[in-house]
Amino acid sequence: MPARIDPFYAIAISRAAHDLKTQGRSVIHMEFGQPSTGAPAAAIAAAHQVLDADPMGYWESPKLKEAIARRYDMLYGVKVSPDQLTLTCGASPALVMALASSFSPGDRIAMARPGYVAYRNTVKALHMEAVELACGHAERFQITAAQLAALEPAPAGVIIASPANPTGTIISPDEMEALAKVCRERGITIISDEIYHGLSYGEPARSMLEFEPKALVVNSFSKYFSMAGWRLGWLLCPPEHIDRTQAYMGALFLTPPSLAQHAALAAMDSLDELEGHVAVYRRNRELLLAALPALGLDEIAPPDGAFYIYADVGHLTNDSMGFCKELLQDTGVATAPGIDFDPVEGHHFIRMSFAVSTPEVEEAIARLVPWFAARPRLNA
Ligand SMILES: Cc1ncc(COP(=O)(O)O)c(C=O)c1O
C-alpha cells in the first residue's frame, strides 16, 4: 500500500497569502523559512558568467566539494575528504538518500516532536516508522540522550537538528556528546540535519561529526547561503558509506544543477555579505522577542539559532490552522500552523519566520499587537 502522508499545511497559508497579494493587500510572508535576500551578489555574477560558456551537463563540482570539506575543518576542526560529500538538490533529497541508504522498510526512526514536517513524512513515505518523542520546554524542544536510552526497543536511527525547525533551539555540546554515546552503545545510526548552521545568536552550533564520525550529515545552501530556490545541498557520509550513497544518488537524482554549483562556489567566498544577513536576523529576533509580552506570548521556545519563533497560543486557540488563516485574513501576516511540526500539541502553536527584512518585522509587530489584544481568550 502506498504510504499516506499529511500535506505541509503552511503551503495552503502561503497560497492564501499570495491570493491576498493579487487582490492588492499588503502581505508579510513569515510562513516559510526562507531568506528573502536572494543569493549573494558574487554568486549571481558567477552564474551570469558561466551561463554562456558552460554546456551545463551532468556534473559534480570538485572545487565546490573541496570548499565544503574545508569548511568542516574551519568551523568544527573536523577533517573530511571531499569524497565523503555527495552534492544534492538541497537538504531534502539528502535526507531521502540518508534514510533510504541506511535503513530498511519497517525500521524505527526516532525524532523530536515538534520537528521539521518532512522528517515524519519522508520516513513514512519510505515505509519506515516515525517514532516521535515528545519534547517540550523541559527538553528545550530537543531529543535527549535520556529519551533515546529509555526507548525500547532501540530505534534503528535518529534524526537530530540543531538549530531546529520550528524552534531554533540548539543542543548543548554535552548533550551532543551524550547523544553520540547512547547511539554508539545502542547501535543507533545518527542523521544530523545541520541546515541552520551559521545562523546562531549565542554560541555557534556544533556538528555531530565532532562527536560521532559515523553520523550522516545533511546540509544545504538554502538557509545561511540564502539560495533556497537554487536547489543545492549535500550529504556527508562516513567513508564506508560512500559507494552506497553514490549508487543511490546515481539512481534517484543523478546530479544537482550545474548552474547552482557554480554560483554556490562563489557564495562560499561571500561571507561578509552573508554575515550581514545574520546581523539582520539577529535584529529581527530581538525586535520580536521584545514584542512578545505585548502579544501576550510568554510560552516560546528559546530561539538560539535558525530564524523562527515557535509560540504557544493555547490561551487563544485550539485550532492553529484556523488561527493562522484568520490572522492572515485580518492582518496580512502569514505564519505557519503548529500542526505542521507537531500533530499532537501543534494545534495550539504557531511558527513565525523572521527571515524577512527588519521593516517587515516592525510592520508585522504593529499589525499583530492590536490583533492579539482584541482576540478573546479561551475559557475567559
Ligand atoms: C530542518 C530543515 N531541513 C531540511 C529542509 C529542506 O531544505 P532544502 O531547501 O535544502 O531542501 C528544511 C527547509 O525548510 C528545514 O527546515
Side-chain angles (χ1 to χ4, degrees):
M1 237 199 342
R4 284 193 61 130
I5 58 174
D6 293 327
F8 188 3
Y9 293 102
I11 293 176
I13 297 288
S14 195
R15 283 212 190 100
H18 284 285
D19 286 350
L20 272 193
K21 210 169 198 162
T22 355
Q23 292 161 24
R25 291 274 305 276
S26 150
V27 168
I28 303 172
H29 286 282
M30 299 174 88
E31 75 278 30
F32 284 150
Q34 67 169 349
S36 52
T37 35
I44 299 191
H48 277 293
Q49 217 170 37
V50 294
L51 206 47
D52 289 330
D54 191 297
M56 302 292 164
Y58 297 124
W59 181 60
E60 252 199 317
S61 164
K63 280 192 185 153
L64 183 60
K65 289 169 79 165
E66 281 160 21
I68 296 172
R70 277 198 301 277
R71 204 169 151 77
Y72 279 87
D73 196 8
M74 185 179 90
L75 292 183
Y76 318 112
V78 171
K79 303 260 185 261
V80 301
S81 153
D83 294 338
Q84 288 174 255
L85 291 158
T86 302
L87 299 175
T88 58
C89 309
S92 308
L95 179 68
V96 171
M97 290 211 305
L99 287 164
S101 65
S102 306
F103 306 111
S104 307
D107 276 354
R108 299 165 72 245
I109 313 298
M111 62 196 72
R113 175 173 61 73
Y116 177 48
V117 57
Y119 299 153
R120 175 178 7 115
N121 286 338
T122 309
V123 162
K124 279 191 197 165
L126 293 170
H127 299 275
M128 296 162 192
E129 188 189 335
V131 180
E132 295 186 85
L133 300 176
C135 300
H137 269 285
E139 296 82 21
R140 304 185 83 254
F141 297 90
Q142 285 281 8
I143 214 161
T144 64
Q147 280 175 313
L148 268 191
L151 199 57
E152 289 299 343
V158 61
I159 302 175
I160 62 158
S162 168
N165 178 2
T167 57
T169 57
I170 287 180
I171 306 177
S172 72
D174 285 352
E175 193 61 33
M176 294 278 272
E177 175 111 64
L179 279 164
K181 184 165 176 278
V182 170
C183 289
R184 257 192 312 277
E185 284 167 3
R186 305 197 79 196
I188 303 169
T189 299
I190 302 175
I191 297 178
S192 180
D193 183 348
E194 303 186 353
I195 190 168
Y196 292 105
H197 278 216
L199 302 174
S200 48
Y201 309 104
E203 289 298 307
R206 306 277 293 269
S207 173
M208 190 34 108
L209 285 182
E210 296 175 55
F211 307 95
E212 177 47 71
K214 286 189 186 308
L216 283 85
V217 175
V218 167
N219 208 327
S220 161
F221 285 89
S222 293
K223 310 293 178 180
Y224 176 73
F225 292 97
S226 191
M227 294 178 67
W230 294 76
R231 307 310 302 134
L232 189 64
W234 66 89
L235 173 62
L236 197 163
C237 62
E240 62 276 16
H241 203 89
I242 296 173
D243 287 349
R244 206 181 311 173
T245 308
Q246 291 294 325
Y248 271 79
M249 185 67 195
L252 296 179
F253 307 108
L254 288 177
T255 57
S258 301
L259 189 63
Q261 298 179 58
H262 286 294
L265 186 60
M268 293 193 79
D269 283 333
S270 306
L271 298 189
D272 284 350
E273 187 177 337
L274 296 169
E275 287 302 318
H277 298 337
V278 181
V280 171
Y281 303 147
R282 185 185 295 278
R283 176 80 189 121
N284 293 352
R285 172 182 175 275
E286 279 164 9
L287 287 171
L288 272 171
L289 288 178
L292 289 177
L295 295 171
L297 302 179
D298 38 24
E299 292 284 311
I300 62 144
D304 309 317
F307 31 52
Y308 304 116
I309 301 270
Y310 191 59
D312 191 339
V313 287
H315 56 300
L316 302 177
T317 190
N318 263 319
D319 167 18
S320 53
M321 185 65 178
F323 187 84
C324 289
K325 280 183 186 162
E326 267 187 74
L327 177 62
L328 172 66
Q329 190 57 44
D330 294 348
T331 67
V333 178
T335 54
I339 46 168
D340 267 333
F341 315 102
D342 182 341
V344 180
E345 299 291 337
H347 52 89
H348 60 93
F349 280 87
I350 61 166
R351 188 197 71 178
M352 290 180 260
S353 161
F354 51 84
V356 288
S357 70
T358 301
E360 281 178 302
V361 167
E362 286 166 339
E363 176 60 24
I365 293 169
R367 294 183 196 179
L368 293 178
V369 169
W371 190 87
F372 272 81
R375 193 91 193 155
R377 291 177 78 90
L378 291 185
N379 310 319

